[in-house]
């Protein structure tokens, strides 16, 4: 950094955080991860740089309570100002916790959300509020964040909200709002202790010691993974380990097709980073099945989980859409994966099954149900979730997660498993505020595998020994 006679070497920074300076066209700068990653320290370094560099840069530093600022954010700013020998360029009012840059008049004010009225009445000596830093953002309510977001307005300068926090709960509003959503106005930065080249060995050993003694603390504060508050029915440790090594989808997008009202044709895959279908493995000669969960009874998403004949999760559809559009995408997805067997839950929405029949897609899961009028069992398309079938398919999925986590590839699905718990009555369900669409569709898909005939290589005998070869055949 060079400003007037001020020179700060890049060696003072952890390199992993220098990328933040290239992302200041975004409104939201989200820095989250494990303990000891230097996310707060690096944020303060960047803020001091901007306070000196920018003509107008007035910063509000916020924590859940005002008192917590004094020994954390305020102390950290003073520490780095002193370390960089910049005290002569700043006026620091300790009693009011106000810092003024004497070079340009930019100011830093510290407040807690326990005194909202003070935040509403904050004024700066020069210009408007331009930036907010929310330290330990996971401690504040989303409604408080919204008030801060509204407070940051004006067209004279680019506005920023910096958020720093540990990922304490996979069901937290911060994850839903910034990590899960694909936002053009947010820069997401994840870090762990491994990004901090200044960290001492003793502290590293302390963090790593939690691997056995406290798995939750290890996952959140050492690995920087989203934690689980409460007991999930799935093996949280196995899921957390899997989340560390899964790869990004090979493709993300959706299907385009021609539709005459009677049939679907000219199916084409479209790559789109904002698409709602993730492909983890492209179709091969194997046979496939798709489990489907429709949006109903509190669920917001239509979901399709694609498995190959060995149970590997090869694709996932998840989107908020109308039932007819969902059905057409499931039709295309089924065709794309070798006319995959489709098993869609029929409890709340019969339209997808009936529409697939009308479109001529007949490779569907067949259930046996008892017809009281005829006093006998009959066959019907689709999967019905009942008090008997639900625990059966879920317990099978729990076993698979425990013994074969390598089968699962979708990040959102694995994270949804972490919020799938037993309620006070012992029923397995999504935690309050979470979803179960991906879990249920996956459980249905694994149940449907029983009706998928395997693709095998069949030896074909040929009389001419010189022409002997093997040919491939589809079973089913």
């Amino acid at each position: 950094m060079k400003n007037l006679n001020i020179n700060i070497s890049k060696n003072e920074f952890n390199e992993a955080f220098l990328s933040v300076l290239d992302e200041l066209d975004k409104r939201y700068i989200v820095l989250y991860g494990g303990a000891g990653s230097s996310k707060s320290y690096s944020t303060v370094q960047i803020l001091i740089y901007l306070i000196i560099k920018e003509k107008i840069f007035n910063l509000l530093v916020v924590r859940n309570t005002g008192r917590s600022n004094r020994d954390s954010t305020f102390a950290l700013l003073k520490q780095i100002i002193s370390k960089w020998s910049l005290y002569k360029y700043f006026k620091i009012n300790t009693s009011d916790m106000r810092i003024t840059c004497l070079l340009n008049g930019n100011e830093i004010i510290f407040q807690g959300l326990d005194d909202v009225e003070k935040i509403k009445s904050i004024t700066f000596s020069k210009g408007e509020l331009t930036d907010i830093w929310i330290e330990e953002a996971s401690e504040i309510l989303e409604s408080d964040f919204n008030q801060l977001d509204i407070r940051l307005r004006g067209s004279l300068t680019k506005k920023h909200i910096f958020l720093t926090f540990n990922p304490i709960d996979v069901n937290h509003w911060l994850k839903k709002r910034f990590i899960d959503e694909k936002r053009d106005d947010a820069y997401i930065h994840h870090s762990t202790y491994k990004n901090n080249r200044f960290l001492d060995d003793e502290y590293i050993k302390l963090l790593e010691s939690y691997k056995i003694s406290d798995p939750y603390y290890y996952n959140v504060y050492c690995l920087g993974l989203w934690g689980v508050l409460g007991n999930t029915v799935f093996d949280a440790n196995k899921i957390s380990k899997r989340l560390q090594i899964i790869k990004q989808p090979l493709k993300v997008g959706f299907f385009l097709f021609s539709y005459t009202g009677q049939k679907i044709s000219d199916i084409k895959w479209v790559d789109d980073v904002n698409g709602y279908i993730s492909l983890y493995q492209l179709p091969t000669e194997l046979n496939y099945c798709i489990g489907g969960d429709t949006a109903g009874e509190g669920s917001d998403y239509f979901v399709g989980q694609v498995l190959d004949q060995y149970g590997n999760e090869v694709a996932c559809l998840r989107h908020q859409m109308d039932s007819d559009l969902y059905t057409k995408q499931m039709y295309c997805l089924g065709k794309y994966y070798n006319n995959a067997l489709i098993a869609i839950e029929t409890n709340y929405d019969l339209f997808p099954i009936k529409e697939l029949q009308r479109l001529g897609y007949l490779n569907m899961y067949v259930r046996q149900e008892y017809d009281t009028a005829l006093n006998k069992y009959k066959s019907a398309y689709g999967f019905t979730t009942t008090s008997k079938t639900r625990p059966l398919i879920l317990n099978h999925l729990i076993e698979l997660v425990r013994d074969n986590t390598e089968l699962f590839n979708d990040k959102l699905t694995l994270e949804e498993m972490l919020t799938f718990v037993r309620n006070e009555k012992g029923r397995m369900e999504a935690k309050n505020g979470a979803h179960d669409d991906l879990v249920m569709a996956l459980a249905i898909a694994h149940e449907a595998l029983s009706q998928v005939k395997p693709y095998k290589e069949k030896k074909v005998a040929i009389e001419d020994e010189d022409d002997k070869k093997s040919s491939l055949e589809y079973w089913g």
Side-chain angles (χ1 to χ4, degrees):
M1 180 179 72
K2 186 173 183 180
N3 188 287
L4 299 177
N5 295 320
I6 300 172
N7 292 280
I8 304 298
S9 171
K10 281 190 175 181
N11 293 330
E12 293 287 333
F13 295 81
N14 276 306
E15 291 183 1
F17 292 88
L18 290 175
S19 60
V20 173
L21 294 171
D22 298 322
E23 301 292 339
L24 295 177
D25 59 320
K26 309 289 197 304
R27 179 178 177 87
Y28 307 104
I29 309 297
V30 180
L31 301 103
Y32 78 105
S37 68
S38 86
K39 56 186 176 296
S40 297
Y41 191 94
S42 297
T43 297
V44 171
Q45 289 181 312
I46 290 166
L47 292 173
I48 291 174
Y49 166 77
L50 294 172
I51 287 164
I52 295 173
K53 173 181 176 290
E54 299 297 330
K55 186 176 180 180
I56 299 178
F57 191 92
N58 289 317
L59 176 68
L60 172 64
V61 180
V62 173
R63 285 199 62 170
N64 193 38
T65 63
R67 180 179 296 179
S68 59
N69 267 321
R70 185 171 294 278
D71 296 326
S72 58
T73 57
F74 185 63
L76 187 54
L77 271 145
K78 290 194 300 178
Q79 176 189 337
I80 296 176
I81 288 172
S82 175
K83 184 176 184 294
W84 284 355
S85 301
L86 298 176
Y87 251 111
K88 62 183 177 181
Y89 300 114
F90 288 92
K91 177 183 177 182
I92 299 177
N93 187 322
T94 302
S95 59
D96 292 340
M97 285 197 296
R98 182 183 288 251
I99 299 175
T100 304
C101 178
L102 300 176
L103 294 170
N104 48 32
N106 289 334
E107 291 182 296
I108 311 171
I109 296 175
F110 300 78
Q111 286 293 342
L113 289 171
D114 51 344
D115 196 342
V116 179
E117 293 305 314
K118 281 190 177 181
I119 289 179
K120 290 180 180 179
S121 60
I122 283 175
T123 59
F124 292 87
S125 302
K126 173 192 170 185
E128 62 192 12
L129 172 65
T130 65
D131 291 77
I132 297 173
W133 172 30
I134 307 174
E135 168 70 322
E136 301 294 354
S138 57
E139 295 179 353
I140 77 169
L141 300 174
E142 186 171 14
S143 57
D144 289 330
F145 174 82
N146 291 337
Q147 287 300 316
L148 291 169
D149 203 10
I150 293 171
R151 176 82 169 80
L152 195 64
R153 59 187 182 271
S155 58
L156 296 179
T157 61
K158 180 68 180 178
K159 305 297 189 292
H160 308 99
I161 298 182
F162 294 80
L163 301 100
T164 51
F165 60 92
N166 300 114
I168 59 171
D169 184 3
V170 72
N171 201 39
H172 201 282
W173 67 266
L174 282 166
K175 181 177 183 296
K176 295 178 180 179
R177 184 159 179 167
F178 292 108
I179 312 302
D180 294 343
E181 290 187 17
K182 298 172 181 177
R183 302 182 60 132
D184 294 331
D185 59 355
Y187 172 63
I188 310 300
H189 186 285
H190 180 266
S191 58
T192 70
Y193 70 96
K194 294 180 181 180
N195 297 115
N196 187 355
R197 62 188 176 90
F198 302 110
L199 204 61
D200 61 86
D201 292 339
E202 185 177 352
Y203 188 72
I204 292 174
K205 289 179 181 178
L206 174 64
L207 287 175
E208 293 178 342
S209 70
Y210 289 108
K211 185 173 185 178
I212 297 174
S213 63
D214 191 336
Y216 169 82
Y217 199 95
Y218 176 76
N219 287 331
V220 174
Y221 294 99
C222 188
L223 302 181
L225 300 175
W226 287 97
V228 184
L229 297 175
N231 296 320
T232 174
V233 301
F234 294 97
D235 191 320
N237 287 330
K238 292 286 184 67
I239 293 171
S240 295
K241 289 178 181 178
R242 183 61 180 163
L243 281 167
Q244 294 176 54
I245 61 175
I246 58 173
K247 298 179 180 179
Q248 293 295 318
L250 293 175
K251 292 177 177 287
V252 176
F254 57 91
F255 290 100
L256 281 182
F257 52 86
S258 297
Y259 177 59
T260 64
Q262 298 296 323
K263 64 178 183 178
I264 290 175
S265 60
D266 300 323
I267 298 171
K268 295 179 181 178
W269 171 261
V270 177
D271 288 317
D272 186 340
V273 293
N274 295 313
Y276 43 83
I277 302 177
S278 298
L279 307 182
Y280 296 96
Q281 295 177 23
L282 301 182
T284 64
E285 69 277 4
L286 299 179
N287 286 338
Y288 299 87
C289 73
I290 308 176
D293 189 41
T294 59
E297 201 178 61
S299 176
D300 295 329
Y301 293 91
F302 282 93
V303 171
Q305 293 273 17
V306 186
L307 307 179
D308 68 17
Q309 64 189 48
Y310 302 114
N312 294 295
E313 185 183 24
V314 300
C316 181
L317 178 159
R318 181 179 186 262
H319 196 51
Q320 294 174 319
M321 62 178 82
D322 293 330
S323 189
D324 63 315
L325 297 177
Y326 167 70
T327 304
K328 292 178 176 64
Q329 287 295 315
M330 288 286 276
Y331 178 100
C332 296
L333 194 58
K335 289 293 183 181
Y336 186 73
Y337 280 97
N338 302 339
N339 289 305
L341 182 140
I342 295 180
I344 299 178
E345 187 185 52
T346 60
N347 288 51
Y348 309 109
D349 192 350
L350 288 172
F351 178 83
I353 292 295
K354 293 185 177 297
E355 181 66 0
L356 285 173
Q357 286 181 270
R358 189 186 70 80
L359 292 170
Y361 198 104
L362 299 179
N363 189 23
M364 289 190 283
Y365 178 83
V366 178
R367 71 182 187 275
Q368 298 296 315
E369 60 180 23
Y370 190 74
D371 189 322
T372 54
L374 298 176
N375 196 29
K376 66 177 184 179
Y377 284 93
K378 67 176 184 179
S379 298
Y381 287 129
F383 184 86
T384 300
T385 304
T386 67
S387 59
K388 292 182 178 179
T389 62
R390 191 176 190 277
L392 183 67
I393 63 173
L394 285 173
N395 281 315
H396 178 52
L397 186 59
I398 291 169
E399 180 183 10
L400 286 171
V401 171
R402 185 183 66 241
D403 299 336
N404 303 100
T405 50
E406 72 279 359
L407 294 174
F408 309 101
N409 297 306
D410 183 66
K411 181 175 181 287
L412 287 178
T413 300
L414 288 165
E415 290 179 342
E416 191 172 279
M417 290 178 184
L418 293 176
T419 59
F420 204 81
V421 300
R422 290 188 185 276
N423 65 16
E424 64 278 3
K425 296 181 180 179
R427 185 179 189 271
M428 293 180 285
E429 63 182 16
K431 186 179 177 180
N432 186 33
H435 296 280
D436 65 2
D437 318 87
L438 291 164
V439 168
M440 292 308 301
L442 189 61
I444 291 169
H446 278 283
E447 173 64 20
L449 273 179
S450 63
Q451 295 185 13
V452 175
K453 293 183 178 180
Y455 168 90
K456 292 184 178 181
E457 185 177 343
K458 182 178 179 181
K459 299 286 185 178
V460 179
I462 301 176
E463 292 185 4
D464 188 344
E465 289 291 323
D466 294 333
D467 292 330
K468 279 186 178 180
K469 59 183 179 179
S470 62
S471 65
L472 300 177
E473 178 182 272
Y474 285 101
W475 288 21

